[in-house]
């Protein structure tokens, strides 16, 4: 049933591994953010612990924007977006394929940049840190589920990057803010009872964004 | 009586204040080769977009094989060749074709890929990235991609643009063989000579309407030329 989605995913990952265009650019951009903030502000470890979660998500989402723009720019090239509209498959399948590829590429980049973040901000590794896995997963899925459909909308315009930012930020802000809060709890070792309900809220937004995007993607592909 | 491969009834299309098509009627029988002739901006590409289901008409209706063009069954029977390649430069020819074979659920994908690559004489470059191909080679691969799933209806939007003589000859020969296989083919072109060589029927679009619908066998090259130029003669580009 999801053969088209898997074909799109395989094609996107194959192209990304061949060029490494997105992951490399995202990684370098995030590294710059960490370096600049780390050497610009001389603050105590306590203050650093407070700002580090925000910096991590700034790196994730700004780099993620690059990945989103890149994902549909590739489809626009040579008319492939039109080819997708001509395919004998639901728009939802195309959405799932693009969503999975953007999400996997972003998660791979996050896995590569996270150790750098730990080193730069001198964070202590502990089992408690494993709680960051569902936080990063939920925050990233929320960002990419909405970002994928809005990127498909924006790619039809001349100012693709500006439009994507204008459409995405207001809608995805709650997810990012909650993800920063959750990351802060884990990094500072103060996971309160509010952690799980908040994580659940991010997950609920993920489900809503994903379902709506899946249902609406057919309309995006039409002229 | 068989169901027409294509039935366009009273189709109009506008983009805001810009009119692209006005009350177009066209019926194409299965196996027929129809050339749509007209100047740039006459509405040929818009008509093909509506036929392929990518764009919806503002008024009127289109049926492919008796059903809506956006039906998945219809989309599986359709292939479009245009100036857009529908290929990924960062994949090889085989990888591009494998991708489309999965999308179109081809059972004998490996064999079909070999066949179409052989048809367009690209077997020797099958493992090279498409970005390293010349324009003519890329267009030949585009043709292979379009024929991969053996479509019942081929829509060709000025496919000869930018091709060298070798590629033009190959495309003409492939179109002839597709016609012999009973495929329905709709071609938009400026090239009256090629249209005359390939088509059973021709329609001329001018001022966003079909102004002439004729049988090619009953029309000499001179008559076709004079009919075409008299039809588009008074047209402006608005």
């Amino acid at each position: 049933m999801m053969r088209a989605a898997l074909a799109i995913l395989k094609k996107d990952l194959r192209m990304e591994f061949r060029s490494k265009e997105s992951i490399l650019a995202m990684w370098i951009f995030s590294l710059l953010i960490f370096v600049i903030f780390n050497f610009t502000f001389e603050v105590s470890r306590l203050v650093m612990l407070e700002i580090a979660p925000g910096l991590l998500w700034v790196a994730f989402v700004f780099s993620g924007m690059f990945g989103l723009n890149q994902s549909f720019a590739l489809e626009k090239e040579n008319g492939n977006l039109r080819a997708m509209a001509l395919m004998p498959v639901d728009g939802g399948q195309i959405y799932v394929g693009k969503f999975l590829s953007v999400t996997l590429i972003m998660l791979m980049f996050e896995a590569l940049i996270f150790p750098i973040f730990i080193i730069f901000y001198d964070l202590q590794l502990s089992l408690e840190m494993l709680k960051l896995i569902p936080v990063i997963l939920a925050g990233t899925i929320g960002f990419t589920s909405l970002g994928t459909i809005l990127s498909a909308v924006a790619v039809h315009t001349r100012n693709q990057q500006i439009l994507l930012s204008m459409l995405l930020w207001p809608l995805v802000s709650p997810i990012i803010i909650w993800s920063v809060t959750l990351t802060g709890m884990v990094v500072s070792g103060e996971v309160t009872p509010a952690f799980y309900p908040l994580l659940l809220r991010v997950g609920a937004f993920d489900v809503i964004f994903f379902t709506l995007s899946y249902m609406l993607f057919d309309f995006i592909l039409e002229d | 009586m068989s169901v027409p491969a294509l039935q366009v009834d009273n189709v109009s299309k506008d983009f805001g204040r810009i009119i692209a098509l006005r009350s177009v009627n066209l019926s194409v029988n299965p196996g027929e080769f129809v050339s749509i002739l007209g100047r740039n901006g006459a509405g040929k590409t818009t008509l093909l977009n509506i036929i392929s289901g990518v764009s919806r008409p503002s008024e009127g209706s289109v049926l492919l094989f008796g059903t809506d063009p956006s039906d998945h069954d219809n989309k599986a029977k359709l292939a479009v060749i245009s100036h857009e390649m529908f290929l990924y430069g960062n994949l090889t020819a085989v990888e591009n074709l494998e991708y489309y074979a999965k999308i179109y659920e081809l059972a004998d994908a490996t064999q079909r890929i070999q066949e179409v690559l052989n048809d367009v004489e690209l077997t020797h470059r099958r493992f090279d990235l498409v970005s390293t191909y010349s324009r003519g080679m890329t267009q030949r691969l585009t043709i292979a991609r379009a024929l991969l799933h053996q479509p019942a209806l081929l829509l060709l939007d000025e496919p000869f643009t930018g091709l060298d003589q070798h590629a033009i000859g190959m495309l003409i020969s492939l179109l002839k063989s597709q016609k012999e296989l009973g495929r329905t083919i709709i071609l938009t072109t400026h090239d009256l000579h090629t249209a005359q060589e390939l088509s059973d029927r021709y329609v001329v679009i001018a001022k966003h309407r079909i102004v002439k619908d004729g049988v090619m066998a009953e029309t000499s090259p001179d008559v076709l030329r004079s009919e075409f130029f008299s039809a588009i003669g008074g047209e402006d580009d608005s």
Side-chain angles (χ1 to χ4, degrees), chain A residues 27-100:
Chain A
W27 194 82
I28 290 170
F29 182 72
S30 297
L31 190 66
L32 276 175
I33 290 177
F34 291 158
V35 170
I36 290 167
F37 277 86
N38 193 51
F39 292 107
T40 307
F41 303 112
E42 290 211 5
V43 291
S44 67
R45 183 177 152 69
L46 212 60
V47 176
M48 191 55 91
L49 277 180
E50 283 197 16
I51 62 169
L55 281 181
L56 181 68
W57 280 95
V58 164
F60 282 177
V61 295
F62 276 98
S63 304
M65 290 291 289
F66 180 85
L68 285 173
N69 277 315
Q70 186 71 8
S71 174
F72 275 96
L74 274 175
E75 299 301 343
K76 200 177 180 185
E77 212 173 288
N78 295 339
N80 290 312
L81 209 55
R82 188 157 165 249
M84 284 184 157
L86 288 165
M87 288 173 180
V89 295
D90 286 329
Q93 278 209 53
I94 296 169
Y95 168 74
V96 172
K98 293 306 288 180
F99 161 76
L100 285 175

Side-chain angles (χ1 to χ4, degrees), chain A residues 15-16 36 38 50-51 63 92 110 126 147 164 173 185 223:
Chain A
M15 288 200 293
E16 178 56 34
I36 290 167
N38 193 51
E50 283 197 16
I51 62 169
S63 304
E110 288 168 351
S126 66
L164 177 60
S173 291
M185 287 183 191
D223 258 2

Side-chain angles (χ1 to χ4, degrees), chain A residues 38-206:
Chain A
N38 193 51
F39 292 107
T40 307
F41 303 112
E42 290 211 5
V43 291
S44 67
R45 183 177 152 69
L46 212 60
V47 176
M48 191 55 91
L49 277 180
E50 283 197 16
I51 62 169
L55 281 181
L56 181 68
W57 280 95
V58 164
F60 282 177
V61 295
F62 276 98
S63 304
M65 290 291 289
F66 180 85
L68 285 173
N69 277 315
Q70 186 71 8
S71 174
F72 275 96
L74 274 175
E75 299 301 343
K76 200 177 180 185
E77 212 173 288
N78 295 339
N80 290 312
L81 209 55
R82 188 157 165 249
M84 284 184 157
L86 288 165
M87 288 173 180
V89 295
D90 286 329
Q93 278 209 53
I94 296 169
Y95 168 74
V96 172
K98 293 306 288 180
F99 161 76
L100 285 175
S101 69
V102 169
T103 306
L104 282 177
I105 289 168
M106 198 164 158
L107 287 172
M108 279 186 267
F109 141 75
E110 288 168 351
L112 286 172
I113 202 70
F114 192 72
I116 311 286
F117 171 73
I118 298 272
I119 294 165
F120 267 92
Y121 297 98
D122 195 21
L123 300 177
Q124 304 299 315
L125 280 175
S126 66
L127 278 179
E128 193 76 350
M129 279 285 198
L130 290 176
K131 288 195 172 122
L132 275 180
I133 292 174
V135 172
I136 291 174
L137 210 57
T140 302
I141 287 172
F143 177 78
T144 53
S145 60
L146 196 57
T148 302
I149 190 165
L150 294 179
S151 178
V153 173
V155 79
H156 293 290
T157 65
R158 265 180 296 178
N159 298 318
Q160 179 194 347
Q161 296 184 3
I162 297 169
L163 186 68
L164 177 60
S165 304
M166 284 170 63
L167 292 173
L168 183 58
W169 290 125
L171 292 168
V172 85
S173 291
I175 286 185
I176 303 304
I177 292 166
W178 294 332
S179 299
V180 170
T181 307
L182 289 164
T183 306
M185 287 183 191
V186 177
V187 166
S188 61
E190 294 168 3
V191 176
T192 66
F195 180 85
Y196 292 103
L198 193 54
L199 183 59
L200 210 62
R201 200 186 298 168
V202 176
F205 265 67
D206 290 359

Side-chain angles (χ1 to χ4, degrees), chain A residues 3-4 7-8 10-11 14-15 18-19 75 78-80 82-90 222-223, chain B residues 49 52 54-56 72 75-76 80 82 84-88 90-91 95 99-100 102-105 129:
Chain A
R3 74 195 146 74
I8 291 167
K10 186 178 172 189
K11 178 260 299 172
R14 181 176 263 162
M15 288 200 293
R18 191 161 283 156
S19 70
E75 299 301 343
N78 295 339
N80 290 312
R82 188 157 165 249
M84 284 184 157
L86 288 165
M87 288 173 180
V89 295
D90 286 329
E222 259 183 36
D223 258 2
Chain B
N49 282 343
S52 66
V54 170
S55 183
R56 286 187 190 277
H72 290 176
K75 285 186 170 181
V80 175
S82 70
E84 293 179 312
M85 304 299 176
F86 300 171
L87 296 168
Y88 296 92
N90 209 13
L91 296 180
E95 287 166 350
Y99 167 64
Y100 280 103
K102 276 185 195 138
I103 297 286
Y104 284 89
E105 288 184 280
L129 292 182

Side-chain angles (χ1 to χ4, degrees), chain B residues 66-238:
Chain B
T67 57
D68 192 271
S70 57
D71 281 359
H72 290 176
D73 283 350
N74 273 334
K75 285 186 170 181
K77 290 177 191 162
L78 184 78
V80 175
I81 298 175
S82 70
H83 60 279
E84 293 179 312
M85 304 299 176
F86 300 171
L87 296 168
Y88 296 92
N90 209 13
L91 296 180
T92 66
V94 167
E95 287 166 350
N96 267 291
L97 296 176
E98 278 174 350
Y99 167 64
Y100 280 103
K102 276 185 195 138
I103 297 286
Y104 284 89
E105 288 184 280
L106 298 191
D108 51 349
T110 310
Q111 193 191 332
R112 267 307 287 160
I113 289 169
Q114 275 177 1
E115 282 170 9
V116 290
L117 282 173
N118 197 39
D119 287 345
V120 297
E121 298 173 16
L122 280 176
T123 309
H124 64 297
R125 295 288 305 269
R126 64 191 183 282
F127 296 126
D128 292 341
L129 292 182
V130 172
S131 57
T132 64
Y133 282 19
S134 68
R135 158 89 186 151
M137 288 168 74
T138 313
Q139 187 70 345
R140 272 148 58 193
L141 185 59
T142 300
I143 297 161
R145 187 266 310 151
L147 300 180
L148 184 68
H149 62 288
Q150 297 173 302
L153 173 61
L154 264 169
L155 301 178
L156 301 117
D157 189 6
E158 299 183 19
F160 302 105
T161 309
L163 290 189
D164 58 29
Q165 283 306 311
H166 176 64
I168 289 174
M170 180 180 288
L171 180 54
I172 288 174
S173 144
L174 278 168
L175 289 177
K176 282 179 178 169
S177 65
Q178 292 301 308
K179 187 179 166 185
E180 279 166 19
L181 288 168
R183 312 252 195 264
T184 310
I185 303 171
I186 299 173
L187 164 77
T188 73
T189 184
H190 306 286
D191 185 347
L192 301 184
H193 176 73
T194 309
Q196 185 106 40
E197 186 181 348
L198 293 169
S199 317
D200 303 313
R201 243 174 87 198
Y202 68 97
V203 295
V204 181
I205 296 189
K207 292 186 179 173
H208 319 296
R209 298 174 190 276
I210 290 183
V211 292
K212 177 74 190 168
D213 188 336
V215 178
M216 206 56 103
E218 297 167 1
T219 313
S220 69
D222 289 342
V223 170
L224 179 65
R225 183 172 294 274
S226 81
E227 280 185 343
F228 175 71
F229 284 109
S230 72
I232 68 163
E235 188 183 4
D236 56 31
D237 286 334
S238 60

